[in-house]
C-alpha cells in the first residue's frame, strides 16, 4: 500500500479530500479540528490533516516514554536499529514519487527540486545515519586510576529518553529526518511536530517506520499549531532534548521554553548569507551559481545566498549578466519538469516578501529585475513572486540585513577584500556563505575570515550528510549531520570500578575511623 493510498478520506464520495490522522503510539488518532493543506500554486485546499493540541503532545510523550521504558527499541542492539532504518531508506526510495507528491502538495516546491533535494536526499541521509548507528562507540574504556586506589573507568553514551523534534515547512521531510533519524539511531523515542502547512510526508514516514518494524510509540508524529502543540513539546518536562529548525525569533522562544526544564537544544535558525565574488571570478559560472544560491525554491532556503558582494569595477557586468540569466527562470506548474521555480508557500509569505521589496525601493535601492507578482492569468491564483534583483544596496538596508525568505537578491559593491569580508560578517546571522574565485588559495583565505558555519567555494547549497551543518551567532546553536551527529542525542555516563579489593586500601578513613570495628 503506497503512502498516498494509506490515508483516510474526509467526508464521503469521490470528491472528498484525502485526510491524514496523527500517529501516536503506533495508532492513527483523529481530532475535531482539521488542518487545511493548501497548494501554494493555486491557493486551493487539497487535503486535510488532524490538528494536534498540547493534549495530543502529552499523549505522544507518554507513548514515547512507555516505548522507551519497554526497551524493545532503546535496548535493541545498534545493528537491529540500523537494520530498521535501512529498511525505511529502501521503502523511501521505492515510494519516491508518492512521497514527492505529498511533499509538494503543501510547500509549492517544483517536482524537479523535490525529487532531487526535498525527498531525494532523504534515503541516502537515512542510510548514513543507519551506518553511524551500526558503528557508533556506545562505550569506551577510560583511564586506569592508580590513586587513591586502583580502579578502572569506562565512558558510556546512552539515549536521552524522549526527544522532541520541531520541523519547518520548507524542507519538511529532510529537516525533520536530520533530527529523528540520529535520535532513533541511538535508541531514543521521538515526538515530531511538523509544520501545520506541510505535515503529510512526515506522517507517511511514521507509517513506513511501523511497516519496517519500529515498535509502536517509538516514532510519533503530531502536526499542530506552533503556539499550542510546539510550545508544549518544547516545554514538556518529559522531553529531554529538542531539535528545532525555523526562524531565529521562534528559535529564541523554543530556547526559553526548553530552559524551564534545562533540556538540551539544537537550533538551526535564520540566515542572510553572502556570496563574495573576487575580482578574478569567472562571470558566467559565478552568475549561474549565485542565482542557484539565491533563487532555488524561490529563496525559501535558510542558507540562501541573498547578498551578492561584487568588486565595484565589475558590478555592472555582473548585474547585466544576472538580469539576462534570471530572466530565463521559468515559473509555472510545479508538476512540470520544465518549471524552474514555483510559488511561495503561503499568502502570508507572499505579503511578507512583497513588503520587503517595497522597503528596498523606499530605502533607495533600484529594482533591476522583477519586483512583484509575475504577469499572466495562471499567477492570479496562488502565491507568486518573480525573481527580483536589487542594485545600489547598502548593507544597512533592511533587504540586506533581514531574512526575507523569498527570491530577492541584493547586489552590494565593495572596493577591496577587507571591505568585502567586513560586509559579509556585518550581520546577526552566520549560517553559510560562498566565495567565488579562480584562485583557490585566495578563496580559502577569504573563507577563513568569514564567520559562518558553512562556506562553499565556487558552489552553493552543498549539503553533505557527512559534514556538520549549523550556524554561528544568531543562526543557531549545535550542529546537525556529520560523523558526530549522534552525540547530541546521547547522555554521557562515567562508570568507575574499584579494583583494589580491600576496604583498607580505600580512603574511607578520611571520613570514618576504624575505632568502632
Amino acid at each position: 500500500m503506497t503512502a498516498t493510498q494509506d490515508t483516510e478520506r474526509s467526508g464521503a464520495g469521490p470528491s472528498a479530500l484525502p485526510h491524514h490522522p496523527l500517529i501516536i503510539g503506533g495508532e492513527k488518532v483523529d481530532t475535531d479540528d482539521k488542518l487545511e493543506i493548501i497548494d501554494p500554486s493555486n491557493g486551493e485546499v487539497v487535503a486535510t490533516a488532524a490538528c494536534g493540541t498540547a493534549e495530543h503532545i502529552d499523549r505522544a510523550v507518554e507513548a514515547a516514554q512507555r516505548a522507551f521504558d519497554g526497551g524493545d527499541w532503546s535496548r535493541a542492539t545498534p545493528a537491529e536499529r540500523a537494520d530498521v532504518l535501512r529498511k525505511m531508506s529502501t521503502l523511501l526510495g521505492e515510494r519516491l514519487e508518492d512521497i514527492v507528491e505529498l511533499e509538494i502538495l503543501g510547500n509549492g516546491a517544483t517536482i524537479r527540486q523535490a525529487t532531487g533535494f526535498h525527498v531525494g536526499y532523504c534515503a541516502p541521509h537515512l542510510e548514513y545515519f543507519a551506518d553511524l548507528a551500526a558503528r557508533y562507540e556506545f562505550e569506551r574504556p577510560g583511564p586506569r586510576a592508580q590513586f587513591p586506589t586502583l580502579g578502572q573507568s569506562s565512558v558510556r553514551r546512552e539515549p536521552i529518553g524522549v526527544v522532541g523534534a520541531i520541523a519547518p515547512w520548507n524542507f519538511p521531510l529532510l529537516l525533520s529526518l536530520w533530527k529523528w533519524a540520529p535520535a532513533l539511531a541511538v535508541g531514543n523515542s521521538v515526538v515530531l511536530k511538523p509544520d501545520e502547512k506541510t505535515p503529510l510526508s512526515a506522517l507517511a514516514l511514521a507509517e513506513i517506520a511501523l511497516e519496517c518494524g519500529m515498535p509502536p510509540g517509538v516514532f510519533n508524529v503530531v502536526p499542530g499549531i506552533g503556539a499550542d502543540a510546539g510550545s508544549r513539546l518544547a516545554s514538556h518536562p518529559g522531553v529531554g532534548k529538542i531539535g528545532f529548525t525555523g526562524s531565529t525569533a521562534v528559535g529564541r522562544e523554543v530556547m526559553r521554553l526548553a530552559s524551564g526544564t534545562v533540556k538540551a537544544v539544537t537550533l538551526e535558525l535564520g540566515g542572510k548569507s553572502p556570496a563574495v565574488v573576487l575580482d578574478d571570478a569567472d562571470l558566467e559560472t559565478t552568475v549561474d551559481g549565485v542565482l542557484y544560491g539565491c533563487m532555488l525554491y524561490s529563496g525559501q532556503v535558510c542558507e540562501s545566498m541573498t547578498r551578492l558582494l561584487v568588486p565595484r569595477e565589475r558590478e555592472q557586468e555582473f548585474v547585466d549578466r544576472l538580469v539576462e540569466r534570471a530572466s530565463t527562470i521559468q515559473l509555472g506548474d510545479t508538476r512540470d519538469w520544465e518549471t524552474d521555480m514555483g510559488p511561495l508557500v503561503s499568502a502570508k509569505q507572499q505579503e511578507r516578501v512583497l513588503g520587503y521589496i517595497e522597503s528596498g525601493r523606499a530605502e533607495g535601492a533600484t529594482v533591476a529585475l522583477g519586483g512583484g507578482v509575475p504577469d499572466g492569468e495562471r499567477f492570479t491564483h496562488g502565491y507568486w513572486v518573480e525573481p527580483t534583483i536589487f542594485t545600489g544596496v547598502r548593507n544597512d538596508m533592511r533587504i540586506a540585513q533581514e531574512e526575507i525568505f523569498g527570491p530577492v537578491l541584493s547586489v552590494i559593491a565593495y572596493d577591496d577584500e577587507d571591505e568585502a569580508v567586513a560586509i559579509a560578517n556585518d550581520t546577526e546571522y552566520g549560517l553559510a556563505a560562498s566565495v567565488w574565485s579562480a584562485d583557490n588559495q585566495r578563496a580559502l583565505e577569504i573563507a577563513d575570515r568569514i564567520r559562518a558555519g558553512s562556506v562553499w567555494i565556487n558552489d552553493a547549497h552543498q549539503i553533505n550528510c557527512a559534514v556538520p551543518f549549523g550556524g554561528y551567532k544568531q543562526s543557531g546553536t549545535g550542529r546537525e549531520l556529520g560523523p558526530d551527529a549522534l552525540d547530541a542525542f546521547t547522555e554521557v555516563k562515567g562508570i568507575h570500578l574499584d579494583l583494589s579489593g580491600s576496604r583498607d586500601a580505600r580512603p574511607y578513613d578520611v571520613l570514618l575511623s576504624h575505632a568502632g570495628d
Side-chain angles (χ1 to χ4, degrees), residues 300-507:
Q300 299 173 119
V301 185
C302 53
E303 30 80 4
S304 291
M305 307 294 155
T306 55
R307 294 184 296 151
L308 173 59
L309 281 52
V310 62
R312 195 173 302 278
E313 66 271 16
R314 299 195 67 186
E315 179 183 14
Q316 192 58 54
E317 66 172 319
F318 267 91
V319 170
D320 291 345
R321 181 63 176 170
L322 282 164
V323 170
E324 177 186 359
R325 290 294 285 152
S327 298
T328 69
I329 295 174
Q330 182 69 40
L331 281 68
D333 183 354
T334 55
R335 290 165 180 81
D336 185 341
W337 284 88
E338 298 302 315
T339 297
D340 298 320
M341 199 172 95
L344 299 180
V345 72
S346 66
K348 180 179 179 180
Q349 188 66 16
Q350 181 192 42
E351 181 181 2
R352 169 188 170 89
V353 172
L354 292 174
Y356 271 109
I357 292 172
E358 288 309 307
S359 79
R361 289 188 173 105
E363 290 188 275
T366 300
V367 175
L369 179 72
V373 177
D375 294 329
E377 175 65 24
R378 71 164 301 112
F379 304 116
T380 59
H381 303 284
Y383 317 120
W384 301 88
V385 173
E386 55 194 337
T388 298
I389 297 173
F390 274 105
T391 61
V393 178
R394 303 185 314 273
N395 202 52
D396 61 353
M397 293 179 176
R398 287 184 65 206
I399 56 173
Q401 284 293 312
E402 299 179 19
E403 186 176 43
I404 298 173
F405 234 56
V408 181
L409 177 65
S410 295
V411 180
I412 304 172
Y414 69 85
D415 293 310
D416 57 47
E417 289 182 7
D418 288 342
E419 184 185 14
V421 171
I423 293 172
N425 290 332
D426 182 19
T427 170
E428 67 184 31
Y429 299 111
L431 188 55
S434 63
V435 182
W436 301 82
S437 173
D439 186 329
N440 289 343
Q441 186 58 43
R442 285 183 70 198
L444 286 166
E445 290 171 358
I446 295 295
D448 285 345
R449 298 171 65 187
I450 294 176
R451 301 282 293 167
S454 297
V455 181
W456 300 304
I457 295 174
N458 296 327
D459 215 333
H461 297 306
Q462 276 302 310
I463 304 298
N464 183 340
C465 58
V467 176
F469 181 78
Y472 287 29
K473 299 186 279 187
Q474 293 191 46
S475 285
T477 179
R479 293 294 182 269
E480 297 179 313
L481 304 181
D484 302 318
L486 305 192
D487 289 355
F489 297 93
T490 64
E491 296 281 14
V492 180
K493 176 186 288 183
I495 296 178
H496 174 80
L497 174 64
D498 180 82
L499 296 176
S500 68
S502 168
R503 174 190 175 195
D504 292 339
R506 302 171 195 172

Side-chain angles (χ1 to χ4, degrees), residues 182-198:
L184 293 174
V186 294
N188 295 289
S189 296
V190 170
V191 177
L192 166 64
K193 194 211 82 69
D195 187 275
E196 61 269 21
K197 294 183 288 298
T198 55

Side-chain angles (χ1 to χ4, degrees), residues 193-216:
K193 194 211 82 69
D195 187 275
E196 61 269 21
K197 294 183 288 298
T198 55
L200 303 188
S201 55
L203 289 166
L205 251 292
E207 295 191 35
I208 285 176
L210 291 167
E211 188 176 340
C212 292
M214 191 168 289

Side-chain angles (χ1 to χ4, degrees), residues 119-139:
V119 181
Y121 268 11
C122 290
H125 283 212
L126 187 51
E127 193 77 32
Y128 176 76
F129 288 122
D131 290 344
L132 285 184
R135 64 175 187 268
Y136 191 63
E137 190 176 41
F138 284 91
E139 184 169 0

Side-chain angles (χ1 to χ4, degrees), residues 13-239:
S15 62
L17 297 174
H19 178 68
H20 303 255
L22 316 176
I23 303 293
I24 298 176
E27 301 291 335
K28 294 181 179 181
V29 176
D30 214 346
T31 60
D32 292 334
D33 291 333
K34 302 292 186 289
L35 299 168
E36 292 187 337
I37 310 305
I38 297 174
D39 185 340
S41 67
N42 56 29
E44 295 180 359
V45 178
V46 291
T48 60
C51 182
T53 64
E55 288 74 21
H56 293 102
I57 292 293
D58 289 346
R59 287 173 57 182
V61 172
E62 290 171 6
Q65 188 65 56
R66 283 196 304 271
F68 182 81
D69 293 341
D72 288 345
W73 184 259
S74 59
R75 292 194 291 273
T77 67
E80 289 170 336
R81 291 195 293 262
D83 183 57
V84 172
L85 296 179
R86 290 194 182 100
K87 288 178 180 177
M88 292 176 63
S89 174
T90 298
L91 280 187
L92 252 176
E94 291 176 357
R95 300 177 184 177
L96 180 67
E97 292 183 3
D98 291 334
I99 303 294
V100 165
E101 178 62 21
L102 292 175
E103 183 92 348
I104 68 179
L105 272 178
N107 73 359
T110 66
I111 191 169
R112 200 165 76 212
Q113 179 190 314
T115 302
F117 298 134
H118 288 246
V119 181
Y121 268 11
C122 290
H125 283 212
L126 187 51
E127 193 77 32
Y128 176 76
F129 288 122
D131 290 344
L132 285 184
R135 64 175 187 268
Y136 191 63
E137 190 176 41
F138 284 91
E139 184 169 0
R140 58 180 172 82
R144 176 166 291 189
Q146 302 293 333
F147 180 84
T149 61
L150 183 66
Q152 177 65 52
S153 62
S154 62
V155 179
R156 292 182 183 174
R157 285 194 173 271
E158 300 179 344
I160 293 168
V162 178
V163 169
I166 303 175
W169 51 258
N170 58 342
F171 289 80
L173 186 57
L174 181 65
L175 297 184
S176 71
L177 185 150
W178 289 2
K179 299 158 185 57
W180 59 254
L184 293 174
V186 294
N188 295 289
S189 296
V190 170
V191 177
L192 166 64
K193 194 211 82 69
D195 187 275
E196 61 269 21
K197 294 183 288 298
T198 55
L200 303 188
S201 55
L203 289 166
L205 251 292
E207 295 191 35
I208 285 176
L210 291 167
E211 188 176 340
C212 292
M214 191 168 289
V218 172
F219 186 27
N220 308 273
V221 180
V222 184
I225 305 303
D228 182 12
S231 293
R232 179 55 178 164
L233 186 59
S235 63
H236 199 293
V239 174

